[in-house]
Amino acid sequence: MIGLLIIVIFLLTGLIFAPELSAHKGYILVSFDSYTTYETTIINAAFIAILFYFLLLVVEWVLRKLLSMSSVTRGWFGQRKTRKAQKNSLLGMLALLEGNTKQAQKLLSKSADRSESPALTYIAAARASHKNGEFNKRDDYLQLANEHPGCKLAVGLVSAELQLDAKQYENALATMTELDQRFPKNRQILQHYLTLYPAINEWGKLISLLNSQRKLTGLNEQEFATLELHAHQQLFQKLASESGQLLNDYWYKDVARWMRKELSYQQAVLEAFVDNGHGKLAQEFLLDKLQRQFSLPLLPYLQKIKVTDYYPIITFLEKQLKKSTHADYINQALAHLKLKEGNQDAAIKHLTESLKTLPNVADYQLLASLLEQQDKVEEANLYYREGLVFAAK
């Protein structure tokens, strides 16, 4: 209704003012110079202005359409690149798993930015570069992965793993120290430490770590005990290589009381003393342990100990021989000690006694050889035969 009223008003206005305008048309003169002049009526100028206005609207519509098509084109090309990147990322992952690390590195590095998970793709590219021995590129890819939020721990763990694999122990230690400060009591970081400390011969630090984070290791009782013993064995060897007294002091001051009672730890100390040429300390240590508790598994170490004076241990064993129920083992040990002193007669006597209840091929051969040196050929042949018979059983 309002629209119809407006149309009627315009029509009435036109009927009233149209004759007046047609009678007084007026004109417009446009002159640029003395040669170019444009002249027209006001009505025509108005029509031209209106026509020009509509022409501008048409041009604007055409430009909008063209620009809209351009954005669609750009979007299509962008989606195509993204699809290609995701495909290359998948192919790169498969190439890495198949061992084709050169191809994997090429595909993964180019597709990482547009892949669904750029950080994971960069990590995979780092692994491929590591396999190819290109450690600088590996670190660059890990740095790019580290720039994505929420990836600090994962990237750090992978970095430490690859550095350990490349034997870059100083770099690995720095990486793990930083991670441990930011993410304390992380099981995977602990696992990396369990690999690193033995590699750099830091057995003391490994033992401290095991004591402080025992539950975090995930090892059962047997596995933990085995690892703990191995760590102490290596630490004992390291200390003994530096100084026998250093190991002796550590044993009595720093080792737990329950360990000092364990046979396996006592044997580890003896082995460290013997392997590093600390015969006197080894003899003193062994004599102390045997006096506290006579343990047969420790007797074989008597044959390994090298000292200038075997008198203290021989005296102790001779006393034990009179009251011990393991005379055969003591006779065997005394035989070898007497032989080290050069007392063949005593060695033959003790070997003869020990072989009665503790036969073994090595002692049969040793006894026969000693008898042979004393020109007791018949007795020597007898023990050679007994040794052969025993070996054939």
Side-chain angles (χ1 to χ4, degrees), residues 169-181:
Y169 297 129
E170 290 185 4
N171 294 339
L173 180 59
T175 300
M176 290 158 57
T177 301
E178 181 181 354
L179 284 176
D180 200 27
Q181 292 173 351

Side-chain angles (χ1 to χ4, degrees), residues 128-143:
S129 300
H130 177 81
K131 293 290 184 181
N132 295 330
E134 299 180 17
F135 299 144
N136 289 332
K137 286 188 176 181
R138 174 202 69 188
D139 296 338
D140 291 340
Y141 293 140
L142 288 172
Q143 182 58 41

Side-chain angles (χ1 to χ4, degrees), residues 249-272:
D249 293 342
Y250 181 82
W251 173 260
Y252 289 106
K253 294 178 181 178
D254 298 320
V255 172
R257 183 176 299 177
W258 69 268
M259 286 184 182
R260 292 202 292 269
K261 296 179 181 179
E262 285 288 327
L263 177 63
S264 56
Y265 284 88
Q266 295 173 7
Q267 291 173 320
V269 172
L270 280 170
E271 288 171 2

